[in-house]
Amino acid sequence: MDEPNRGVVVSVRGSVVEVRFEGRLPPVYSLLRAGDEGEIVIEVLMQSGDARVRGVALTPIQGLARGSTVTDTGGPLKAPVGRPVLSRMLDVFGNVIDRGPPLTGVDWRSVHRAPPPLERRSTRAEIFETGIKVIDVLMPMERGGKAGLFGGAGVGKTVLLTEMIHNMIGHQEGVSIFCGVGERCREGEELYREMKEAGVLDDMVMIFGQMNESPGSRFRVGHAALTLAEYFRDDERRDVLLLMDNIFRFIQAGSEVSALMGQMPSRLGYQPTMGSELAGLEERIANTDAGAITSIQAVYVPADDFTDPAAVHTFSHLSASIVLSRKRAGEGLYPAIDPQQSRSKMATPSVIGERHYRLAREVRQTLAQYEQLKDIIAMLGLEQLSASDRGVVDRARRLERFLTQPFFTTEAFTGLPGKLVSLEQALDGCERILADEFKDLPESALYMIGPVDEAYDKAENESDESARPAGSPAAVG
């Protein structure tokens, strides 16, 4: 048996460790281990002269000092793949963190893999239905595409992601992989509990690089999640829904690693290699002849500034951008998606069909006209508008309310049972609202319902409630 390749720590600066080897220099991306039980893990990122390598620690480095011995593992960071990972919660090294038994019967694959070659990619454009009205009608997602959920803090990115997991697993024969990049450990625990209660954990894997972990660990967890996704797509030939929360934290971790490695920052303090690092991750998400990886990525937008380089670079990789608005969240219009800023490359007649395309355009046009009329209404009142403009306002307000939807994942908070709405039902509802079928119903009848016919029942219940005497138990409740 060969003698292991050992080196000696020369310097430790934050998470960056420099090691000198007397023999063979480990290649870039090799894993080095230090500590009494090899618990300190370092990934080589640079080979410098005089037989030295510089790497970033993926674990806490307490106890590491100059002169410590380091062992080359002879390979890169690997992720576990196979059926046994389903329903489990993992960290970046493939260790289970759900208090269950350790993984057995899995293969280990390098997290550094090339994107599928062009000849293997599928060029067929297909729609991925989410069961969420506003997304399916106005910004349809692509099967095997990448969609981004853009928004500042607290506007509902994580809630929207968890709803999509629920809809995907409950109604499609796919695998869901949730990748938490630099997010709160509380969110991971809540998601695990919710998915277990919903009974959808059997076709799901969760992998986390939490907020309190080292930047190297947060930077690699996305690559580990993609290695799992590629296994289910290529070996099991199943469709995969990959949810990443949050891609901004991936860029942020890369920025920290870059600064620690001593690279000169570019604009606004981001790393000079941000574009290529993001592309290295995003290009692996692809639709091939074996199956599709459909990715939905939450993107935190710093200070709600959409010109921030992190947001701009992420936009360029996406087939659909779903922008969440703080203003709409404040108005109680959930999901708080801004239909004017959100877009999709799928929204063309050749992909979604003439009827869907025409209806989506009419809905957008009506909402845009209402936005322009808001200033006049605020200054002069609704009465000063012409009859045609009043009709536009009436339709737009009903459309806004119809495009809200109660979620399965928020039932415990709202008390409203979740609704899954097919694309056909959503289009039918928009078409009938634009044809003024519901102009005699109160606007509130269309708020937080599923298919549009539920508006009649809701309006009837509301009229019954208002007809009851004020002191009756039902009215008081």
Side-chain angles (χ1 to χ4, degrees):
M1 188 174 169
D2 291 342
E3 186 69 24
N5 188 19
R6 296 189 196 280
V8 176
V9 174
V10 177
S11 69
V12 181
R13 292 193 297 271
S15 295
V16 170
V17 182
E18 198 158 334
V19 184
R20 186 178 65 247
F21 283 85
E22 295 300 333
R24 184 177 56 84
L25 264 190
V28 172
Y29 297 147
S30 293
L31 277 199
L32 313 178
R33 287 189 177 270
D36 297 336
E37 296 173 11
E39 70 279 3
I40 299 172
V41 184
I42 301 155
E43 184 178 56
V44 175
L45 291 183
M46 186 187 295
Q47 291 182 342
S48 51
D50 58 4
R52 295 184 184 195
V53 295
R54 191 180 292 175
V56 65
L58 305 185
T59 55
I61 53 168
Q62 282 85 354
L64 193 66
R66 287 176 67 180
S68 298
T69 303
V70 173
T71 307
D72 176 13
T73 62
L77 178 66
K78 293 182 177 178
V81 297
R83 287 282 179 89
V85 300
L86 289 173
S87 81
R88 303 308 299 269
M89 198 172 184
L90 312 171
D91 67 8
V92 69
F93 302 107
N95 302 319
V96 292
I97 52 173
D98 55 12
R99 299 181 187 164
L103 288 176
T104 54
V106 291
D107 292 330
W108 293 81
R109 289 186 186 171
S110 167
V111 302
H112 303 283
R113 298 166 67 84
L118 286 175
E119 65 267 17
R120 276 201 60 212
R121 295 186 180 228
S122 168
T123 54
R124 195 168 74 237
E126 289 180 68
I127 295 301
F128 176 84
E129 271 194 51
T130 63
I132 298 168
K133 290 181 281 195
V134 64
I135 293 175
D136 290 344
V137 172
L138 296 179
M139 56 229 64
M141 283 170 47
E142 180 185 9
R143 177 180 173 269
K146 297 180 272 281
L149 300 179
F150 290 82
V155 290
K157 296 186 295 299
T158 304
V159 170
L160 201 50
L161 273 187
T162 49
E163 183 70 9
M164 286 183 187
I165 295 173
H166 183 280
N167 293 356
M168 165 77 178
I169 301 178
H171 305 92
Q172 300 193 32
E173 294 301 310
V175 175
S176 282
I177 297 173
F178 184 90
C179 175
V181 186
E183 285 299 295
R184 304 163 190 84
C185 51
R186 166 184 62 78
E187 291 179 346
E189 190 275 330
E190 284 174 3
L191 179 68
Y192 182 79
R193 194 158 25 84
E194 282 170 14
M195 295 299 122
K196 197 169 185 177
E197 285 168 10
V200 295
L201 211 53
D202 291 345
D203 285 308
M204 185 171 180
V205 190
M206 296 185 201
I207 183 162
F208 286 94
Q210 288 162 199
M211 203 175 248
N212 62 318
E213 293 181 23
S214 71
S217 170
R218 285 181 271 130
F219 189 53
R220 287 288 171 239
V221 73
H223 298 94
L226 267 165
T227 305
L228 294 171
E230 286 164 345
Y231 164 79
F232 285 110
R233 179 193 66 193
D234 300 335
D235 294 43
E236 300 261 338
R237 303 183 82 84
R238 293 172 77 175
D239 280 0
V240 180
L241 178 64
L242 174 65
L243 302 117
M244 299 183 83
D245 189 8
N246 186 307
I247 208 76
F248 173 76
R249 307 279 178 218
F250 166 77
I251 292 169
Q252 203 174 37
S255 173
E256 287 180 52
V257 170
S258 173
L260 289 166
M261 295 296 289
Q263 291 179 326
M264 183 74 74
S266 64
R267 195 159 69 92
L268 296 185
Y270 289 106
Q271 65 272 39
T273 52
M274 175 169 67
S276 55
E277 285 169 2
L278 189 61
L281 186 76
E282 297 280 6
E283 285 303 302
R284 287 172 65 182
I285 301 167
N287 200 347
T288 69
D289 45 15
I293 300 176
T294 303
S295 172
I296 303 167
Q297 306 164 11
V299 187
Y300 168 68
V301 181
D304 292 345
D305 176 15
F306 285 90
T307 62
D308 187 271
V312 171
H313 275 269
T314 309
F315 264 122
S316 63
H317 290 282
L318 305 173
S319 53
S321 304
I322 299 164
V323 177
L324 295 163
S325 150
R326 199 173 299 282
K327 182 167 169 284
R328 291 178 76 81
E331 292 169 1
L333 299 171
Y334 289 104
I337 294 169
D338 186 335
Q340 303 304 330
Q341 282 190 288
S342 305
R343 59 170 184 81
S344 169
K345 291 177 184 171
M346 294 290 100
T348 59
S350 58
V351 177
I352 59 176
E354 284 291 344
R355 175 178 175 246
H356 185 169
Y357 178 72
R358 175 180 54 78
L359 279 170
R361 281 197 60 180
E362 278 184 49
V363 169
R364 280 183 185 276
Q365 205 172 357
T366 306
L367 294 173
Q369 283 177 283
Y370 175 44
E371 206 58 44
Q372 290 171 347
L373 291 168
K374 275 183 178 175
D375 289 341
I376 299 172
I377 296 166
M379 288 187 290
L380 305 174
L382 194 61
E383 299 75 28
Q384 299 303 314
L385 295 179
S386 65
S388 64
D389 282 349
R390 274 206 295 273
V392 166
V393 170
D394 203 50
R395 286 190 285 278
R397 288 180 63 85
R398 279 166 172 73
L399 281 170
E400 276 186 341
R401 278 143 189 79
F402 174 63
L403 293 175
T404 62
Q405 191 166 339
F407 283 175
F408 293 96
T409 48
T410 57
E411 281 180 13
F413 309 107
T414 61
L416 297 170
K419 305 280 184 184
L420 186 83
V421 183
S422 71
L423 174 61
E424 192 47 50
Q425 288 172 324
L427 290 174
D428 176 58
C430 291
E431 194 167 40
R432 289 162 68 184
I433 290 168
L434 288 166
D436 287 339
E437 186 182 317
F438 299 91
K439 66 177 181 183
D440 297 327
L441 290 187
E443 290 171 2
S444 58
L446 290 153
Y447 179 68
M448 285 292 173
I449 60 169
V452 75
D453 286 324
E454 291 180 14
Y456 290 114
D457 298 333
K458 193 173 177 187
E460 206 171 298
N461 291 340
E462 283 178 0
S463 63
D464 288 349
E465 288 288 326
S466 59
R468 281 200 182 96
S472 70
V476 171

